Amino acid sequence: MLTGGDRFIPAILAIIIASALSSIGWIFEGEAINRLSPLPVVCTSLWLGGLSLLGLGYLSKRASPFSNPAAYSSRFIAFSIIRSAIVSLLFGYCLTLTSSTKTMFLTKIEPYMVLLIQIIWLGHRTTMGHLALLAIHMFGAVMLSTGGSFALSVDTLGDLLIFICVTANAALYFPARRYSQELGPMYASGLSQLYGGAVLLPFMLAYSMSAFNPTPEHMTGWYYALLTVVVFYIVSTGLWFFSMKDVPA
């Protein structure tokens, strides 16, 4: 049986790999959304990713999450709707306003937002080195977004929306850690995505069924969407929840 220290190193490696794969995922998702639209790409990805993670959890012979009251708790459902439905859809919309490459870089500010939340609301004591890194990263994100020209544009609006989404995601690290420990990483991630997908499904059926017309452009879009599912919604997100189980938020 692995001790806490033995589990910590694989968890650290998992979150590093998850971060790298999420960067690739933004590029794939951007290509998919450019050919389709945010709603069908995000909704379908949540369903495919969630079902795949639940299936992997079952094949690994882990205890079923459905006997755990946490799987049906109003807090977990609310967490899932915010993280998997609302934030994911907003990120998808951001990709229609700004480039996937810029999105990839701007989302890497997330760890510093987690640190900032801990400092402001949880009284976390940190070092001047960490504060300097936080300031540098924030300044770099602003310069990347504006290019040194502070004029409101569609790109700037998209970047501001990314900042809001990143902040929301950062605030969810703490419940994510708890649910990963209670339900297991694959089940927490899979159920969260299914709840989010269930919320978006009626809207997709009402407004986005044209995305499923088998045109060459749409078929290429769904090809990139499937790559996004594998890279981001299954592997990257699954590894993120796995790391949350043993790494403090």
Side-chain angles (χ1 to χ4, degrees):
M1 183 176 180
L2 294 176
T3 64
D6 293 332
R7 294 195 303 267
F8 185 76
I9 294 176
I12 288 291
L13 291 175
I15 202 162
I16 292 172
I17 296 171
S19 179
L21 290 176
S22 72
S23 298
I24 300 172
W26 287 125
I27 296 173
F28 289 153
E29 190 164 26
E31 293 294 327
I33 287 173
N34 284 339
R35 291 167 174 82
L36 301 164
S37 65
L39 182 56
V41 171
V42 172
C43 182
T44 304
S45 296
L46 288 171
W47 275 99
L48 292 176
L51 290 172
S52 298
L53 286 166
L54 289 183
L56 289 171
Y58 175 78
L59 291 175
S60 64
K61 298 182 179 179
R62 299 182 183 278
S64 171
F66 300 107
S67 59
N68 190 329
Y72 308 101
S73 69
S74 58
R75 289 187 176 184
F76 179 62
I77 293 173
F79 162 85
S80 302
I81 291 172
I82 294 170
R83 185 181 190 278
S84 295
I86 298 174
V87 174
S88 294
L89 187 59
L90 284 175
F91 268 131
Y93 178 64
C94 290
L95 291 171
T96 68
L97 302 176
T98 188
S99 69
S100 57
T101 304
K102 193 186 288 186
T103 301
M104 174 182 70
F105 283 109
L106 290 175
T107 51
K108 292 302 172 278
I109 199 173
E110 191 172 297
Y112 296 96
M113 295 308 302
V114 176
L115 178 62
L116 187 60
I117 289 170
Q118 289 195 33
I119 293 171
I120 295 174
W121 280 285
L122 301 178
H124 175 72
R125 298 177 65 86
T126 189
T127 65
M128 287 303 297
H130 282 159
L131 291 175
L133 285 172
L134 174 61
I136 291 169
H137 203 125
M138 294 286 284
F139 175 76
V142 171
M143 294 303 294
L144 176 66
S145 173
T146 64
S149 176
F150 296 92
L152 186 63
S153 64
V154 172
D155 273 11
T156 305
L157 177 62
D159 296 343
L160 288 173
L161 193 54
I162 289 173
F163 182 78
I164 293 171
C165 293
V166 166
T167 303
N169 252 357
L172 296 174
Y173 268 55
F174 307 101
R177 175 173 167 79
R178 181 171 71 251
Y179 296 130
S180 183
Q181 291 173 333
E182 291 178 355
L183 298 170
M186 282 187 284
Y187 286 142
S189 180
L191 284 173
S192 174
Q193 291 186 40
L194 286 183
Y195 283 137
V199 169
L200 296 180
L201 183 60
F203 298 97
M204 184 185 76
L205 295 176
Y207 301 111
S208 301
M209 291 308 293
S210 61
F212 294 91
N213 293 334
T215 66
E217 185 77 356
H218 286 174
M219 295 301 290
T220 302
W222 286 116
Y223 166 75
Y224 280 111
L226 288 174
L227 289 177
T228 305
V229 169
V230 174
V231 172
F232 182 74
Y233 287 87
I234 297 176
V235 183
S236 178
T237 304
L239 288 173
W240 186 81
F241 272 91
F242 172 80
S243 67
M244 286 294 102
K245 187 175 180 181
D246 294 303
V247 177

